[in-house]
Amino acid sequence: MTKVKICGLSTTEAVETAVSAGADYIGFVFAPSKRQVTLEQAAELAKLIPANVKKVGVFVSPSRAQLLETIEEVGLDLIQVHGQVGDGLLENLPCASIQAVQVDRNGHVPNSQADYLLFDAPVAGSGQIFDWGQLDTTGLAQPFFIAGGLNEDNVVKAIQHFTPYAVDVSSGVETDGQKDHEKIRRFIESVKHGISRTK
């Protein structure tokens, strides 16, 4: 069963909706963004998340000190890094790591020390999908997430195309820039039950 990550959550109601609907991962954005949360906000929201749902911190070109502080303060289970990933950044962290890869025309997949890869559109958080035909995931060492413009209408096709470990959504479960609780529920329902219905 493909796992689901709901990203960019910043309110009690959105976190509770995602958890109750069956999300496997909850993402908190610590990079500059309209979805950015503070350490204090994330730590409070994290208290609402049961142990079977994993807490992910999302960063852009972070320092190792920033990662370690946030992991400790929020109790993160994974960190997701976009942008520059310096030598040694992901080594011996106290939690698992996801390296985000923006898929461009050459479909290049980097060698990475991360535990997981996440494939995203050239502009993360834009709600745009990338050209799925440009990405070849055969031979990947790591399990991977598919992101970039997913929503309840196309996520089943994405799963059938890639057979990913997990799918990741943010703007695809928003209305007017805010998390839409009904869209969160429908997205998770599509992932958990959509494949069996389409076979």
Side-chain angles (χ1 to χ4, degrees):
M1 174 71 73
T2 307
K3 296 187 181 296
V4 181
K5 175 168 167 278
I6 307 290
C7 201
L9 300 187
S10 58
T11 67
T12 297
E13 296 77 16
V15 169
E16 289 176 338
T17 296
V19 168
S20 66
D24 302 287
Y25 296 89
I26 301 287
F28 296 124
V29 176
F30 295 102
S33 157
K34 64 184 180 183
R35 305 179 184 96
Q36 184 176 12
V37 291
T38 64
L39 275 179
E40 294 74 23
Q41 283 176 296
E44 284 302 307
L45 292 170
K47 295 174 183 175
L48 306 169
I49 301 175
N52 64 309
V53 180
K54 302 304 181 188
K55 301 175 291 293
V56 184
V58 180
F59 304 84
V60 175
S61 304
S63 67
R64 189 171 171 88
Q66 182 190 7
L67 292 180
L68 293 172
E69 179 189 16
T70 311
I71 292 166
E72 175 74 20
E73 291 289 328
V74 182
L76 295 177
D77 300 295
L78 300 97
I79 55 106
Q80 175 180 320
V81 178
H82 295 249
Q84 295 299 312
V85 178
D87 289 345
L89 182 72
L90 304 180
E91 285 182 6
N92 301 316
L93 289 172
C95 71
S97 58
I98 304 168
Q99 181 174 346
V101 179
Q102 288 165 297
V103 179
D104 56 20
R105 288 195 181 90
N106 66 24
H108 175 66
V109 177
N111 290 322
S112 174
Q113 295 179 318
D115 299 291
Y116 302 89
L117 294 174
L118 180 145
F119 296 105
D120 204 349
V123 180
S126 65
Q128 302 298 307
I129 64 170
F130 61 86
D131 180 349
W132 294 347
Q134 289 175 342
L135 178 63
D136 180 6
T137 58
T138 55
L140 274 185
Q142 298 102 321
F144 63 93
F145 291 64
I146 291 293
L150 296 183
N151 56 48
E152 63 185 290
D153 297 320
N154 65 15
V155 68
V156 170
K157 288 180 182 171
I159 292 168
Q160 290 170 331
H161 184 90
F162 289 108
T163 319
Y165 168 77
V167 290
D168 181 355
V169 67
S170 185
S171 58
V173 291
E174 292 177 350
T175 298
D176 297 328
Q178 301 295 318
K179 286 296 183 283
D180 182 317
H181 301 170
E182 196 50 46
K183 284 184 179 178
I184 290 173
R185 291 188 191 97
R186 291 201 304 262
F187 183 88
I188 295 171
E189 170 78 10
S190 294
V191 177
K192 302 292 186 184
H193 304 290
I195 297 295
S196 58
R197 281 204 303 266
T198 57
K199 281 185 175 170

